[in-house]
Amino acid sequence: MTGETEFIDPEEIVPPHPAFRDLRWLVADMVENGWQGRPLLVIDTGDEYVAWSGSHRISAAIEAGLEAVPCYVIPESTIVSATDGAVDAKNGHVMDYERLEILIRVGDEAGIEIMRQEL
């Protein structure tokens, strides 16, 4: 099963880690231009959306007052089955190359294309 693109309130997305950079420039850009760049990759756990990427963009979107951001949503069951249970939405941080390997393993062409896009 592959994911789907949805628009989700950024306050409903759990980031992979707290934002740690000065986001003023990104917030100002989002206020002026809205969301730019690729969608977030998020895992739907059934209870919440957990982002695989985009901690800074999520924080900036919240601060900019964006009501919804584009997200490529992948069911958690897809990730768990592709990794024989080694990876799930709550189980540690995975690197971009690992995310890409998982998407290749499940044949998620849209997810692969999103991972290859520049921010």
Side-chain angles (χ1 to χ4, degrees):
M1 179 174 191
T2 59
E4 297 180 7
T5 301
E6 300 178 24
F7 285 85
I8 300 171
D9 182 336
E11 300 227 27
E12 295 179 15
I13 303 167
V14 178
H17 57 79
F20 53 84
R21 286 189 278 190
D22 180 357
L23 302 175
R24 286 179 286 188
W25 67 271
L26 186 54
V27 171
D29 185 63
M30 285 188 180
V31 166
E32 186 173 328
N33 302 307
W35 186 271
Q36 301 292 309
R38 71 182 185 187
L40 295 170
L41 284 171
V42 299
I43 308 302
D44 182 354
T45 69
D47 296 324
E48 61 190 353
Y49 295 106
V50 178
W52 253 5
S53 63
S55 294
H56 298 95
R57 293 181 293 151
I58 294 167
S59 293
I62 292 168
E63 195 170 326
L66 300 185
E67 294 180 8
V69 297
C71 297
Y72 187 73
V73 181
I74 303 168
E76 185 175 36
S77 60
T78 300
I79 304 307
V80 171
S81 66
T83 62
D84 294 326
V87 174
D88 61 38
K90 304 235 185 215
N91 162 343
H93 180 71
V94 293
M95 303 301 289
D96 278 349
Y97 77 91
E98 294 169 305
R99 294 179 188 116
L100 187 56
E101 286 175 358
I102 292 167
L103 294 170
I104 290 169
R105 205 173 305 151
V106 298
D108 189 335
E109 294 298 324
I112 293 166
E113 180 58 32
I114 288 169
M115 285 294 298
R116 290 182 174 157
Q117 290 176 16
E118 294 292 323
L119 291 178

